[in-house]
Amino acid sequence: MKEVHIYLYSTIKGCRISNGAYTYVLETATSKGDATISKTEIVENVTSHKSVLLALIAALRRIRQTSCLVIYTDSNYVAFNVRDSLVRWKKNGWKTARGEPVKNQEEWQEIARLLQPHSFEVIISSGHSYYQWMKTESEKAAECI
């Protein structure tokens, strides 16, 4: 099975609704060497959590074959919930342990659907090789808002 690394970054920080940009990078090994795909998108009126979820959805939509995914994010919220909550939320009808609707439910449902054929792990990291480049690209895009 092919291994694909997904790197995520968002300029939006904190819990306030804001405008900004996200960048994702997909990296995989091919017979001709490493191949990368990246994209930066402007997002408006979203929280930092939703911005990273949108980045993950956009990245996952680019993957065409069942793969072993390694997802890198600096978002504890995304890392924890991808690893530990998705299965439980799905079983509980997209309700939290308190019986409340899951926040960003549509995005989480899409992520669950897109992750289904893959095996995956999530790594909390801002020290990877693409981090500074992604930060610069996202900040340049966010300046256009």
Side-chain angles (χ1 to χ4, degrees), residues 3 10 16-17 20 22 30 35 39 41 50 60 72-73 75 80-81 83 85 93-94 118 122 124 137 143:
E3 185 169 282
S10 173
R16 291 186 175 181
I17 292 175
Y22 67 71
T30 70
K39 186 158 190 172
E41 289 285 332
K50 189 166 188 172
L60 291 170
Y72 297 86
T73 180
S75 170
F80 175 78
N81 289 315
R83 280 193 303 235
S85 302
W94 297 98
H118 307 287
V122 184
I124 299 170
E137 289 299 303
E143 289 173 4

Side-chain angles (χ1 to χ4, degrees), residues 120-132:
F120 60 90
E121 68 176 299
V122 184
I123 298 171
I124 299 170
S125 172
S126 59
H128 55 74
S129 59
Y130 292 107
Y131 189 81
Q132 191 58 47

Side-chain angles (χ1 to χ4, degrees), residues 33-137:
D34 287 344
T36 60
I37 297 171
S38 65
K39 186 158 190 172
T40 300
E41 289 285 332
I42 292 172
V43 288
E44 298 180 292
N45 300 315
V46 297
T47 62
S48 62
H49 296 327
K50 189 166 188 172
S51 178
V52 178
L53 295 175
L54 293 171
L56 180 55
I57 290 167
L60 291 170
R61 286 181 175 160
R62 299 292 301 264
I63 300 170
R64 303 285 183 237
Q65 66 186 66
T66 301
S67 302
C68 177
L69 308 178
V70 182
I71 302 166
Y72 297 86
T73 180
D74 61 357
S75 170
N76 291 322
Y77 167 80
V78 171
F80 175 78
N81 289 315
V82 167
R83 280 193 303 235
D84 300 328
S85 302
L86 273 180
V87 172
R88 185 177 64 249
W89 287 341
K90 194 173 180 179
K91 268 191 213 174
N92 292 342
W94 297 98
K95 303 270 189 221
T96 66
R98 294 183 181 142
E100 298 168 357
V102 170
K103 290 181 181 176
N104 301 306
Q105 182 175 324
E106 289 179 19
E107 289 77 18
W108 283 116
Q109 287 172 329
E110 181 68 357
I111 289 167
R113 185 186 72 75
L114 292 166
L115 282 173
Q116 185 181 17
H118 307 287
S119 63
F120 60 90
E121 68 176 299
V122 184
I123 298 171
I124 299 170
S125 172
S126 59
H128 55 74
S129 59
Y130 292 107
Y131 189 81
Q132 191 58 47
W133 178 83
M134 294 170 74
K135 181 178 179 188
T136 301
E137 289 299 303

